[in-house]
């Protein structure tokens, strides 16, 4: 929590990446600090259970993310924060979980996050059907055998049934009613087109969605210290501030 944060400051819940099967909150420390200072806000990272370990599979990781979100919403006063100003950020698999969480919150009839930032996410299991996968075939991730891949591990295996759209949001036939969204894509990422196609679905459904295609960048590029990373984090911060109603200082008399 930054020293300069206002009373009743906003909250950002960060969901780390790692292909559903790896990673930890340590991956996003630099980003969490950058957002906390730039917004400023209370930034909380959730250490959700990783799939494939001790029998963990969907929906358990999503349940952990919702538990963290629900705790923050109900206990914001303990942090000196505003329960009506909660945003989400997720990177890679964390972006998939963040959008699944936004859909779950929508379906429960709860207020949407002020802004959901989806950073190099994937929204579908049909990655091989995209142009970006074949264009960047040398950068593909995971084994040749799909049943051993991260998606199958996250789902607890393929069983012939369509997975829940909380697991892979592009499977949702109606994405209307979601809150403001930001989608960040990397040009040199096999997952690029699943994110792009989903952004078009959001816009077509009347969901406010801003899209950043990071030229000459690869998957989860914002995990690496780099001037462009700083720019993207600053861009995120301004978008969070906009949705949190914190841009009054830009108004001129």
């Amino acid at each position: 929590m930054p020293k300069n944060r206002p009373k009743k400051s906003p909250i950002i819940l960060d969901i780390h990446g790692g292909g559903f099967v790896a990673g930890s909150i340590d991956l996003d420390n630099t980003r969490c600090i950058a957002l906390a200072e730039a917004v400023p806000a209370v930034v909380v990272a959730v250490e959700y259970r990783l799939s494939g370990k001790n029998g963990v599979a969907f929906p358990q990781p999503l349940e952990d993310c919702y538990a963290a979100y629900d705790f923050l919403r109900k206990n914001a006063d303990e942090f000196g924060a505003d329960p009506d100003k909660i945003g989400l950020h997720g990177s890679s698999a964390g972006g998939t979980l963040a959008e699944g969480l936004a859909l779950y919150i929508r379906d429960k009839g709860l207020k949407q996050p002020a802004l959901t930032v989806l950073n190099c996410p994937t929204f579908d299991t049909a990655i091989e059907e995209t142009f970006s996968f074949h264009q960047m075939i040398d950068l593909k991730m995971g084994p040749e055998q799909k049943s051993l891949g991260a998606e199958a591990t996250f789902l607890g295996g393929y069983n012939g049934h369509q997975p829940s759209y909380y697991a892979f949001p592009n499977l949702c036939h109606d994405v209307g009613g979601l809150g403001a969204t930001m989608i960040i894509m990397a040009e040199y990422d096999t997952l690029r087109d699943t994110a792009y196609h989903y952004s078009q679905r959001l816009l077509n459904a009347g969901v406010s969605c801003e899209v950043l295609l990071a030229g000459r960048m690869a998957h989860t590029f914002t995990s690496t210290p780099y001037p462009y990373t700083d720019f993207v984090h600053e861009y995120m911060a301004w978008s969070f501030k906009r949705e949190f109603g914190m841009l009054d200082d830009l108004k001129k008399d």
Side-chain angles (χ1 to χ4, degrees), residues 15-85:
I15 306 175
H16 70 79
F20 307 108
V21 299
S24 72
I25 58 175
D26 293 337
L27 287 175
D28 283 2
N29 276 345
T30 299
R31 175 172 22 256
C32 289
I33 292 170
L35 290 175
E37 292 179 341
V39 173
V42 176
V43 180
V44 178
V46 54
E47 191 80 280
Y48 59 87
R49 285 169 287 181
L50 299 176
S51 299
K53 296 184 178 181
N54 301 316
V56 172
F58 179 85
Q60 290 169 306
L62 183 66
E63 291 172 344
D64 293 343
C65 294
Y66 177 72
Y69 182 87
D70 193 50
F71 177 84
L72 293 171
R73 184 174 63 89
K74 293 178 178 177
N75 298 276
D77 287 345
E78 295 184 21
F79 303 95
D82 188 343
D84 292 324
K85 294 181 179 179

Side-chain angles (χ1 to χ4, degrees), residues 64-227:
D64 293 343
C65 294
Y66 177 72
Y69 182 87
D70 193 50
F71 177 84
L72 293 171
R73 184 174 63 89
K74 293 178 178 177
N75 298 276
D77 287 345
E78 295 184 21
F79 303 95
D82 188 343
D84 292 324
K85 294 181 179 179
I86 303 179
L88 300 178
H89 170 274
S91 181
S92 191
T96 309
L97 285 165
E99 187 65 354
L101 178 57
L103 285 165
Y104 184 69
I105 291 169
R106 179 199 69 171
D107 293 350
K108 286 180 68 69
L110 300 174
K111 182 179 179 180
Q112 275 288 289
L115 176 67
T116 299
V117 178
L118 309 170
N119 189 350
C120 292
T122 182
F123 296 119
D124 208 326
T125 56
I127 300 167
E128 291 89 345
E129 296 181 18
T130 64
F131 181 74
S132 58
F133 178 85
H134 295 282
Q135 184 185 34
M136 258 77 69
I137 192 70
D138 292 342
L139 301 177
K140 69 177 182 177
M141 298 172 278
E144 297 291 339
Q145 191 172 343
K146 285 188 72 69
S147 62
L148 300 177
E151 295 84 5
T153 303
F154 176 51
L155 294 171
Y158 292 123
N159 58 15
H161 297 287
Q162 179 166 296
S164 166
Y165 62 70
Y166 299 138
F168 288 96
N170 197 47
L171 299 176
C172 181
H173 75 281
D174 179 5
V175 295
L178 290 166
T181 305
M182 172 191 286
I183 296 181
I184 298 167
M185 302 170 287
E187 181 181 2
Y188 298 152
D189 186 357
T190 57
L191 305 181
R192 181 195 69 205
D193 287 356
T194 68
Y196 175 75
H197 294 154
Y198 190 76
S199 74
Q200 302 309 293
R201 292 195 61 207
L202 291 178
L203 290 168
N204 290 340
V207 175
S208 178
C209 180
E210 57 188 311
V211 180
L212 172 64
L213 174 60
R216 314 302 187 268
M217 293 294 163
H219 185 65
T220 62
F221 66 95
T222 55
S223 296
T224 303
Y226 190 71

